[in-house]
Amino acid sequence: GEDVEQSLFLSVREGDSSVINCTYTDSSSTYLYWYKQEPGAGLQLLTYIFSNMDMKQDQRLTVLLNKKDKHLSLRIADTQTGDSAIYFCAEMGGDKIIFGKGTRLHILP
Amino acid sequence: EPEVTQTPSHQVTQMGQEVILRCVPISNHLYFYWYRQILGQKVEFLVSFYNNEISEKSEIFDDQFSVERPDGSNFTLKIRSTKLEDSAMYFCASRTSGTYEQYFGPGTRLTVT
């Protein structure tokens, strides 16, 4: 069945780049998403990529998609303390979104 | 910027009681969803709703759950007889037609005691 896997924790120094990785199972997914959840807050749609794209850049965010390996990554350049949050990788399954467990990004001073 | 809103932010109820969670989707959106996140677990799909009927529901969405769009702005999730295991954060989401970007509300934390 559909499943999304990602590592649970990532620690990065302030100013460095963060790379959060994810694998998914449904090769027919047309949309892949990254959502951000700050403490006590809801799910914020950060960015998404169509399955016919390899890369999408949006300011400090770069999404890379490797369809052959079903691998998705999110790179955050110049990581700031405000980037501290849980990042959810997700794929579209039919009309619903299938989420990973989330990667908690911790910023070191 | 338009956003999805949900009320209440936190609901505490006793086992066996009925609860109604309310959502106001973004005004020009036509597709509505409920998801839930049990503490420490994944966000899980519950149900999707379009044109005044359920489009898809998960195994979690059993006879104890129902959804309704009682007027032009609200979208509600009712749990008829709550169980301890219904304790979770419930998220409402919506999208417009022609795109698959779902926008989520801030969630309602439901605590069943």
Side-chain angles (χ1 to χ4, degrees), chain B residues 40-55:
Chain B
Q41 297 188 25
K42 290 186 179 187
V43 177
E44 303 171 288
F45 167 78
L46 291 178
V47 67
S48 58
F49 190 86
Y50 170 71
N51 201 25
N52 278 321
E53 55 185 40
I54 291 173
S55 312

Side-chain angles (χ1 to χ4, degrees), chain A residues 43-77:
Chain A
L43 296 162
Q44 175 196 353
L45 178 60
L46 258 188
T47 187
Y48 62 92
I49 188 167
F50 294 107
S51 58
N52 63 357
M53 297 168 68
D54 299 323
M55 185 179 91
K56 180 179 180 182
Q57 187 144 7
D58 184 2
Q59 299 182 337
R60 291 192 297 122
L61 305 178
T62 304
V63 179
L64 294 178
L65 174 60
N66 180 330
K67 276 195 77 171
K68 177 175 160 288
D69 295 338
K70 296 181 195 165
H71 183 267
L72 185 73
S73 68
L74 173 70
R75 178 176 179 268
I76 305 172

Side-chain angles (χ1 to χ4, degrees), chain A residues 15-28:
Chain A
D16 287 352
S17 291
S18 306
V19 180
I20 304 171
N21 294 299
C22 162
T23 56
Y24 61 96
T25 55
D26 188 355
S27 57
S28 65

Side-chain angles (χ1 to χ4, degrees), chain B residues 18-20 22-23 25 27 35 38 44 47 57 60 63 67 73 84 92 97 104 111:
Chain B
E18 174 184 286
V19 293
I20 297 176
R22 301 180 194 280
C23 167
S27 65
Y35 293 78
I38 294 173
E44 303 171 288
V47 67
K57 58 184 180 179
I60 304 165
D63 292 344
V67 288
S73 59
L84 292 175
C92 173
S97 57
F104 283 72
T111 302

Side-chain angles (χ1 to χ4, degrees), chain B residues 49-96:
Chain B
F49 190 86
Y50 170 71
N51 201 25
N52 278 321
E53 55 185 40
I54 291 173
S55 312
E56 186 177 351
K57 58 184 180 179
S58 70
E59 290 174 356
I60 304 165
F61 195 89
D62 61 22
D63 292 344
Q64 293 300 310
F65 291 87
S66 62
V67 288
E68 194 179 30
R69 186 150 163 85
D71 53 44
S73 59
N74 290 282
F75 179 51
T76 62
L77 174 70
K78 184 196 287 188
I79 309 175
R80 214 175 320 271
S81 176
T82 49
K83 303 189 279 277
L84 292 175
E85 54 265 39
D86 293 327
S87 293
M89 182 74 94
Y90 287 81
F91 292 105
C92 173
S94 69
R95 70 170 175 92
T96 186

